Amino acid sequence: MDIKEYKSPVYNVIAVPVEKVFANDYNPNVVAPPEMRLLELSIWEDGFTMPCVCYHDKENDKYILVDGFHRYRVMKTSRRIYDREHGMLPVVVIDKDLSQRMGSTIRHNRARGTHVVELMTNIVAELTKAGMSDQWIMKNIGMDRDELLRLKQISGLAALFADKDFSIPEPMMPAPKDED
């Protein structure tokens, strides 16, 4: 490959009718429902900020996904996003054989990383200090109530619990046993 001639695919984003895009059959990545809802919200609020990566099967005029299956799935399942985007999915094309595309899929999946608990705790603390409600934080960061509570507990900041009423429930006594 001549480095001077190389141009990354991201400089050639094209709009492809989502009906011409198809999932591959080798992607091991799974996204849980809460994260899928967050992805839909992210695309709704911010638009598509990353194109899907596809291989173009010219013979059948089909685009086979290499990366971006969940963004593609949101386009297929969210009416409001489909309508706003006029059914067009942003795509970049890579021209690689199947084994190379499999490697690309795994690299894309594994390169995303995970959220570090300490950093997420700091973000929750800052948002709470800024006056954001628990509902706002849960909706906009994609957390459920238990996760938010755990992050607040980890932070150890009393201010994060200032608006909560804590009471210790009375212990339940076991029912008396019938004695014969």
Side-chain angles (χ1 to χ4, degrees):
M1 170 182 5
D2 183 5
I3 295 175
K4 290 181 185 178
E5 300 293 322
Y6 184 78
K7 189 173 181 184
S8 292
V10 75
Y11 296 110
N12 296 309
V13 178
I14 58 173
V16 174
V18 72
E19 293 77 19
K20 287 186 170 193
V21 179
F22 297 88
N24 66 48
D25 58 1
Y26 52 82
N27 188 352
N29 194 18
V30 176
V31 174
E35 284 75 21
M36 282 301 297
R37 287 189 295 277
L38 184 60
L39 179 59
E40 196 272 349
L41 177 63
S42 174
I43 293 170
W44 178 249
E45 293 290 330
D46 304 322
F48 281 95
T49 58
M50 289 179 24
C52 293
V53 179
C54 293
Y55 166 77
H56 186 209
D57 173 357
K58 294 176 184 85
E59 187 176 315
N60 297 304
D61 195 24
K62 292 168 57 172
Y63 292 81
I64 312 301
L65 283 163
V66 173
D67 181 62
F69 171 76
H70 297 98
R71 282 169 269 146
Y72 156 80
R73 194 164 119 204
V74 165
M75 172 68 91
K76 298 273 288 183
T77 59
S78 174
R79 187 85 221 163
R80 67 184 184 165
I81 291 174
Y82 181 93
D83 289 346
R84 183 189 69 195
E85 303 292 329
H86 307 288
M88 303 300 277
L89 189 67
V91 164
V92 296
V93 175
I94 60 171
D95 189 19
K96 295 184 173 189
D97 67 30
L98 180 59
S99 61
Q100 290 176 322
R101 294 192 315 261
M102 287 178 168
S104 292
T105 295
I106 301 307
R107 283 192 302 275
H108 279 89
N109 289 344
R110 296 195 70 194
R112 284 193 179 83
T114 59
H115 287 125
V116 177
V117 172
E118 183 180 351
L119 296 177
M120 288 301 294
T121 301
N122 292 342
I123 290 169
V124 167
E126 288 302 316
L127 290 171
T128 301
K129 288 177 190 173
M132 299 299 159
S133 69
D134 286 359
Q135 282 303 117
W136 189 96
I137 294 170
M138 289 185 300
K139 176 187 174 199
N140 288 281
I141 297 185
M143 294 181 177
D144 62 27
R145 186 165 298 286
D146 289 339
E147 183 180 14
L148 180 59
L149 178 61
R150 279 192 305 275
L151 290 175
K152 284 183 170 186
Q153 288 170 332
I154 290 167
S155 73
L157 295 177
L160 298 179
F161 295 99
D163 62 340
K164 302 294 179 225
D165 177 32
F166 289 98
S167 59
I168 300 172
E170 302 229 1
M172 292 185 60
M173 300 298 289
K177 294 182 181 177
D178 288 336
E179 293 186 27
D180 290 331

